[in-house]
Amino acid sequence: MFFRDREAMELREREKSKEQDEVCIEPLIPTLASMHSPLMHDFVLVAHKTEDKEDEVQKKQAAFVEALKKKNMKVTEIVLDDQVFYGVMAPSEVFEKYKYLLKVSDACNSSGEQKDGVPKSTRIRIVYFVLLHTYLRNGEDLQELMRKGVFESMFCLHERRKQKVLRQKWARWSALFTWQPFNDIREYFGEKVALYYLWLGWYTLLLVPAAVVGVIIFLYGLAFFKTSPLIREVCDSDIIMCPRCENSCYVWKLSDTCSYAKVSHLFDNEGTVAFAMFMAIWATMFLELWKRHRARYVSKWKVYDWCEEEEELIMEIVNDPESKPKEFRHSYWRSALVLALFTLVLVVIIGLTHALVLFRVVMRAVLANQAWEFLTTHSNTAVVMMGATLHYITIQVMTRVNRYVAFKLCEIEKCRSFAATERSFTVKMFTFQFFTAFSSLIYIAFFLGRINGHPGNYVKLAGKWRLEECHPSGCLTDLFIQMAVILVLKQTLNNIFEFTIPWFQRCFRQTTAKKLQRRCGNCYRKACRQEDGKLEPCDTCKLREWIKNYHLHNVNSFSLFNEYLEMVMQFSFTTIFVAAFPLAPLLALLNNMFEIRLDAIKMVSLERRLVPKKTNDIGVWTKVLEAIGVLAVIANGLVIGISSDFIPRLVYRYNYGPCANGTANGLDCMTGYINDTLSTAYMSDERVQKDFYPHQMINATQCSYKDYRRNEDYTLTSQYWFILAIRFAFVILFEHVVVLCKFIAAWFIPNSPMRVKNRRLEDKFKRLKEELRFMNYRYDTQV
């Protein structure tokens, strides 16, 4: 009664303006009827046809269709050869109930859908929920029926006219440098997809200053490429270095690695510290500005206070008024089992990292023993490249394994709703992927060359293969090569496969689709026109459109998750360990410019339509990005303080170099630094003779290695402990300063602009006044 009175009031208020608008609207009625036909189907189910009516599959198909009809769903059945197409359309009563429940809800009553007509995206979302929550008598739902082959697939239909508009504005390569039509994306794909592209566009835009600063840091290192005293000292050195491996390696001259020293200086210089601090603060600024950017759009879309759990409750009541809400449950046994299995998977992933380390160690020994002199000379670089490539392959394989395991863990948890399952799956999947991608990088950054021992006491795997050593110019170049190979391969190959696979599938299936369309017969306009003059597609037209959508690339509920995961992992590479690779933001920027259009073309033209979903945020990904920002501060501080040679160079300049002891006499303050970082091993020592055979030394009586050790007893020098203390002091100081800057930035930038807050305040005030006016109207009517 309440609902009817309110509708009557609103109808009277619109009568005056309606009379004036009828003259303008009348010519558009046929067009609007054809564009927004209430008879357009919301979903299509596809099943295999069987001739035997007593077949179990046939019975379940008929039972499920009958269950839909009991919910007043209109089901249109069209048979083509050995396939049956079921078009499902919901009655208008379903959407009227939905709109009314929005009005009386606590969190969703500010949605514009309660006043305006129900858009196609909302129709699809509601019908999709009804389909998933329709059960047979034995309790089987649609997903179980699809797993058993009762139904082959299900999909919602693309809208040709809106599809054409999106192609013109957005889903084309010529629109590479144009702004994205977020409102059109939201109307067609729903708020969840629109927020993904809003976030991706904002992330890409803010990568511009990060890329510019990274290029400046790279050019800074390039400017001193030839004049650096450290490079000259390596290139002009006649120091004999110790063999890098067992038996097959020989002594080598430090000057042989001149090129390696030059590359090291490009990515390990004074500008690296400033860039690491900049990127840590940039990550915070990005997140805080993103929250403001998001607030503008979700407020405009009337979903600022939207509650996903309350939306699910509304749709449960719409689907079944007699339904009961699923209760929140918690099981300590299940939680303990999930935690144990989760930890076990992480142990396996870390074990794969150890396998990669073993591969690098063994391959170094194998390549050093090759007859090809070029490969033997550059065995170190070749091993790094091979290790990075194998790491990329491991990431691709483990991505599929991680997804399967994460799904199984979520099934064990038995989350209350799909939203809770999605959050749980996101956290697990990202954690697995993070350890898969970064375990090897963590080893290179913090352990490579620090646990390998020294001549006379080397650490060996299986008592045979020595662990890898750092180059005298530092280990940061190995980290740079690893990150560069993974980023380039991951972004390039992933984009190629993401686009080409659906494209080839569409080209292949179009041939089949054309053959099927020819069997459908020809359509005449008279067949689509009803007696009242309205246009309703005939079976031939429906089947043509259904077949066209059926042969597009399949999508599922987690298709958008894959896009998020790819971009968030890229964000991790761009911020964590960015001190070793200043060009990472530039590569990410170039990739994202193409990624946006590639994903747009794929979603609009190559894939089936994603089920539109309503939301007001990117969900748990915000927490993941915040965690990455914290990890970026820690990792970059450790990279500069421990992995980089920035601290040892700083200590040498002011404590041990010629400028510190007054012996400069026109020399550069860093003169002699490389020699200062080397220790000497003598073949006269019996312990050294066990590690280096005479044929490896080539008549050399001594060799040098990178470490701070005394030549007599190989104990660590006081300089080593002093540098170590400065390293840890720098890490603590760096992290505290950057964290303080992050807190100040987060405090200084409000999450919501004042304009958005004032607009929401006005909307609430207006809605309260409307409620009061309606109450007065009812009181006057009753009197």
Side-chain angles (χ1 to χ4, degrees), residues 385-613:
M385 296 290 291
M386 293 173 65
T389 305
L390 182 60
H391 186 199
Y392 168 77
I393 296 173
T394 303
I395 292 175
Q396 298 305 308
V397 174
M398 287 303 298
T399 298
R400 291 157 178 78
V401 176
N402 293 340
R403 182 179 289 109
Y404 175 80
V405 174
F407 269 125
K408 291 301 179 183
L409 292 179
C410 290
E411 289 180 1
I412 295 175
E413 278 185 323
K414 290 187 177 180
C415 299
R416 176 186 171 275
S417 62
F418 177 80
T421 303
E422 191 175 27
R423 288 192 294 268
S424 178
F425 176 80
T426 299
V427 173
K428 292 176 176 61
M429 183 64 184
F430 174 78
T431 306
F432 293 156
Q433 287 295 98
F434 182 86
F435 275 86
T436 302
F438 284 91
S439 294
S440 181
L441 297 177
I442 291 172
Y443 164 76
I444 294 174
F446 305 127
F447 298 100
L448 179 64
R450 291 170 177 82
I451 57 175
N452 59 306
H454 57 84
N457 189 26
Y458 278 120
V459 177
K460 299 180 182 180
L461 293 176
K464 184 177 181 181
W465 296 294
R466 277 166 43 190
L467 293 180
E468 300 173 88
E469 300 177 11
C470 282
H471 187 270
S473 299
C475 290
L476 216 59
T477 302
D478 290 356
L479 184 59
F480 151 70
I481 294 175
Q482 187 90 351
M483 287 188 63
V485 171
I486 293 175
L487 265 179
V488 172
L489 287 177
K490 185 176 176 59
Q491 294 183 162
T492 305
L493 296 181
N494 282 7
N495 286 342
I496 291 175
F497 286 121
E498 279 184 17
F499 185 79
T500 55
I501 291 177
W503 186 80
F504 278 119
Q505 286 182 347
R506 188 185 70 168
C507 293
F508 175 75
R509 290 173 174 176
Q510 274 182 345
T511 305
T512 307
K514 289 178 180 178
K515 293 179 180 178
L516 291 174
Q517 287 174 0
R518 284 195 292 268
R519 296 181 188 177
C520 297
N522 296 320
C523 170
Y524 301 95
R525 293 191 175 183
K526 292 182 179 180
C528 296
R529 188 176 297 277
Q530 297 180 338
E531 295 180 358
D532 55 1
K534 293 183 179 180
L535 294 176
E536 162 63 11
C538 63
D539 287 353
T540 300
C541 292
K542 291 175 185 176
L543 193 56
R544 284 177 180 272
E545 193 65 23
W546 295 354
I547 291 173
K548 183 179 178 181
N549 284 266
Y550 170 70
H551 285 96
L552 293 175
H553 187 69
N554 190 26
V555 294
N556 54 48
S557 302
F558 290 94
S559 294
L560 189 63
F561 168 84
N562 298 330
E563 306 296 339
Y564 266 118
L565 181 63
E566 180 183 354
M567 288 296 101
V568 173
M569 289 302 297
Q570 184 206 82
F571 180 80
S572 303
F573 278 102
T574 306
T575 52
I576 302 175
F577 298 135
V578 73
F581 191 20
L583 295 179
L586 178 62
L587 292 180
L589 173 63
L590 296 176
N591 173 80
N592 290 2
M593 291 174 63
F594 292 94
E595 179 79 22
I596 292 174
R597 303 303 159 183
L598 187 149
D599 288 345
I601 295 172
K602 186 176 62 175
M603 282 189 179
V604 174
S605 302
L606 303 179
E607 292 182 338
R608 294 175 182 172
R609 185 176 181 177
L610 278 171
V611 176
K613 293 185 178 179

Side-chain angles (χ1 to χ4, degrees), residues 662-728:
T663 60
N665 295 329
L667 297 175
D668 189 278
C669 293
M670 297 304 296
T671 302
Y673 168 75
I674 297 296
N675 189 47
D676 183 69
T677 61
L678 301 177
S679 299
T680 305
Y682 297 95
M683 282 299 294
S684 57
D685 193 321
E686 294 182 356
R687 291 172 295 180
V688 176
Q689 293 175 6
K690 295 179 180 179
D691 287 326
F692 302 142
Y693 298 101
H695 72 276
Q696 293 181 269
M697 300 301 295
I698 314 178
N699 299 324
T701 59
Q702 64 184 45
C703 62
S704 300
Y705 60 98
K706 182 179 175 65
D707 209 344
Y708 293 97
R709 293 186 180 274
R710 296 183 177 86
N711 299 335
E712 299 80 15
D713 54 2
Y714 302 107
T715 57
L716 296 170
T717 63
S718 59
Q719 185 178 355
Y720 167 84
W721 297 109
F722 180 68
I723 292 175
L724 185 63
I726 298 299
R727 285 183 187 272
F728 282 109

Side-chain angles (χ1 to χ4, degrees), residues 125-144:
R125 187 172 72 253
I126 295 174
V127 172
Y128 178 70
F129 185 90
V130 172
L131 287 174
L132 292 184
H133 293 80
T134 299
Y135 304 93
L136 300 182
R137 292 183 177 179
N138 59 3
E140 291 180 330
D141 59 7
L142 181 57
Q143 292 180 331
E144 293 179 7

